[in-house]
Amino acid sequence: MTDPPYKVTSRGSAGNSGGMLQKKINKRGQVFAHNNIDCSEYAPEFYRVLKDGSHCYVMTNHVNLIKMLNTFTNCGFHFIKCLIWDKGNKIMGQYYMSQFEYIMFFRKGKGIKINHCGTSDILSVPNVKLKGDDGKNLHDTEKPVELMKILIDNSSKVGDIILDPFMGIGGAGIASQQLDRNFIGIEIDNKYYDIAMQRIKKAS
Ligand SMILES: C[S@@+](CC[C@H](N)C(=O)[O-])C[C@H]1O[C@@H](n2cnc3c(N)ncnc32)[C@H](O)[C@@H]1O
């Protein structure tokens, strides 16, 4: 599962943290220092490292949805469906207010059903962000641990390895710890990596 960096629009559909984030988006639709990787670089690698029968969740927005879907399916992934993360909070925009993000749900190889088939494909989990001592978000696109837990719980067993190659401040790692899964996380930005390490150690 992962939440890759991707282009956002600058008129209310960044879908992450409202007005504050809008101010941080630069003219090329970038939020982070490391925002440039193209999905064609990582999708084949995801397909290569995942085991047959794995589920793969990738978060995105409407700007990148079609390209990412095509890229992932061209790599061999089977597209199961899109889930919706209903964040509860709304962001002003010219074309309806933004309240959700897409979670593309793929599988590699054989189809294995989720563990809790009664789970809705609309996941309502409040978009709450951790703050630093300065009152600012620790990470502007942090995803809630509770959201990660739903996906991990449904698509893996105790002892499995969960991979998040764009882990930010490590919510998927904490969720993995709490569900007794092993976790491999990758993060290019040392500031976020250090926060993730601290949080994951604390959770274990
Ligand atoms: C959308 S954020 C993920 C946030 C994460 N879901 C969380 O809850 O904190 C994407 C992350 O990918 C990182 N990133 C960008 N390029 C990367 C790369 N080539 N390798 C690893 N991490 C990268 C960014 O620094 C950023 O923290």
Side-chain angles (χ1 to χ4, degrees):
M1 68 153 55
T2 201
D3 173 28
Y6 51 73
K7 277 193 181 169
V8 293
T9 64
S10 57
R11 286 191 297 275
S13 48
N16 293 94
S17 65
M20 288 309 292
L21 181 59
Q22 291 300 313
K23 291 183 193 135
K24 294 178 187 172
I25 299 168
N26 70 22
K27 282 185 185 150
R28 287 184 298 158
Q30 298 185 336
V31 185
F32 310 106
H34 302 282
N35 211 141
N36 281 328
I37 193 162
D38 190 89
C39 55
S40 60
E41 290 182 63
Y42 53 77
E45 298 302 315
F46 291 4
Y47 194 80
R48 182 178 64 80
V49 301
L50 287 175
K51 287 183 183 165
D52 187 53
S54 298
H55 290 167
C56 174
Y57 296 97
V58 186
M59 306 197 71
T60 192
N61 66 357
H62 67 277
V63 179
N64 299 283
L65 180 68
I66 293 173
K67 180 176 180 189
M68 289 178 83
L69 258 178
N70 288 336
T71 305
F72 274 73
T73 51
N74 285 341
C75 289
F77 281 105
H78 177 87
F79 176 54
I80 300 175
K81 62 166 23 185
C82 262
L83 311 182
I84 296 295
W85 171 34
D86 171 9
K87 302 187 284 186
N89 59 331
K90 300 183 183 69
I91 303 172
M92 282 303 292
Q94 296 178 351
Y95 306 112
Y96 299 88
M97 296 177 81
S98 294
Q99 188 177 341
F100 74 86
E101 280 183 42
Y102 295 104
I103 306 174
M104 298 179 297
F105 180 24
F106 301 100
R107 66 174 159 82
K108 173 178 173 177
K110 61 180 181 246
I112 295 180
K113 66 185 174 79
I114 59 170
N115 294 327
H116 308 288
C117 294
T119 312
S120 169
D121 52 12
I122 299 180
L123 305 172
S124 299
V125 180
N127 183 17
V128 180
K129 302 218 181 309
L130 293 172
K131 306 282 180 192
D133 294 337
D134 57 4
K136 293 182 180 161
N137 292 338
L138 287 182
H139 193 298
D140 283 320
T141 65
E142 177 192 349
K143 301 299 177 293
V145 171
E146 287 311 310
L147 179 66
M148 298 296 107
K149 278 177 85 169
I150 295 170
L151 307 180
I152 292 170
D153 196 23
N154 262 325
S155 291
S156 62
K157 300 185 296 295
V158 167
D160 279 354
I161 301 174
I162 308 300
L163 170 66
D164 184 352
F166 299 101
M167 75 169 163
I169 59 172
I174 294 163
S176 301
Q177 287 284 347
Q178 292 180 354
L179 293 168
D180 294 323
R181 271 59 163 179
N182 295 300
F183 178 70
I184 298 173
I186 303 168
E187 170 54 54
I188 201 169
D189 188 316
N190 284 330
K191 182 180 64 175
Y192 299 143
Y193 177 83
D194 290 344
I195 296 170
M197 287 300 287
Q198 279 174 20
R199 293 179 74 208
I200 293 167
K201 274 187 193 151
K202 205 170 157 192
S204 61

